[in-house]
């Protein structure tokens, strides 16, 4: 069982930066692939970024490549999402997920989810 708590959201102007954190409690955090998803009002939840259990592999949605960076600190049971060059289209609730593998985390069953943190980017 893993519990996830996101933080770091807020209101920022376009072009600004935010760093989201996802703190995990429970056992075996370092064995899970981790991911960030987001959901804008009236839209489906969408994949943003994922990182392997070791941190050695990452993947990103095309919409955030070059602007967002995912990282993790297994000693602190925390995964981060550094968001630079924010645009209004990034406005959403951002969710952290823990799952079995880099390419499947957040899809199907056997995932853990946080409650989300709101990110609002003003133009």
């Amino acid at each position: 069982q893993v519990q996830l708590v996101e933080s770091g959201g807020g209101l920022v102007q376009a072009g600004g930066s935010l760093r989201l954190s996802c703190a995990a409690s429970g056992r075996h955090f370092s064995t899970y692939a981790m991911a960030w998803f987001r959901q804008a009002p009236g839209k489906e939840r969408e994949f943003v970024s994922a990182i392997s259990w070791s941190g050695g592999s990452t993947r990103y949605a095309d919409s955030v490549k070059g602007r967002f960076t995912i990282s993790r600190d297994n000693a602190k049971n925390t995964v981060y999402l550094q968001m630079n060059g924010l645009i209004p289209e990034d406005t959403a609730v951002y969710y952290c997920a823990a799952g079995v593998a880099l390419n499947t985390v957040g899809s199907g069953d056997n995932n853990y989810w946080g409650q989300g943190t709101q990110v609002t980017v003003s133009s």
Side-chain angles (χ1 to χ4, degrees):
Q1 189 79 8
V2 176
Q3 293 80 43
L4 304 173
V5 178
E6 302 94 336
S7 62
L11 173 64
V12 64
Q13 288 189 330
S17 299
L18 283 174
R19 188 176 83 154
L20 305 184
S21 298
C22 174
S25 59
R27 302 178 67 181
H28 308 308
F29 168 78
S30 63
T31 67
Y32 288 95
M34 301 294 297
W36 289 96
F37 285 73
R38 66 187 182 186
Q39 187 167 20
K43 294 188 176 181
E44 298 283 320
R45 187 177 297 186
E46 64 174 2
F47 169 78
V48 175
S49 183
I51 188 167
S52 62
W53 67 270
S54 67
S57 297
T58 58
R59 60 187 185 105
Y60 296 91
D62 288 343
S63 59
V64 306
K65 275 181 185 175
R67 300 189 298 122
F68 291 10
T69 302
I70 192 170
S71 62
R72 67 189 295 163
D73 185 339
N74 286 342
K76 295 183 178 179
N77 281 11
T78 303
V79 63
Y80 305 98
L81 186 69
Q82 178 66 45
M83 305 187 294
N84 299 329
L86 285 160
I87 58 178
E89 291 75 16
D90 294 320
T91 294
V93 177
Y94 283 70
Y95 297 90
C96 177
V100 174
L102 175 67
N103 292 328
T104 60
V105 55
S107 63
D109 298 326
N110 301 316
N111 291 283
Y112 299 98
W113 292 91
Q115 293 301 305
T117 185
Q118 176 71 47
V119 171
T120 303
V121 184
S122 63
S123 56

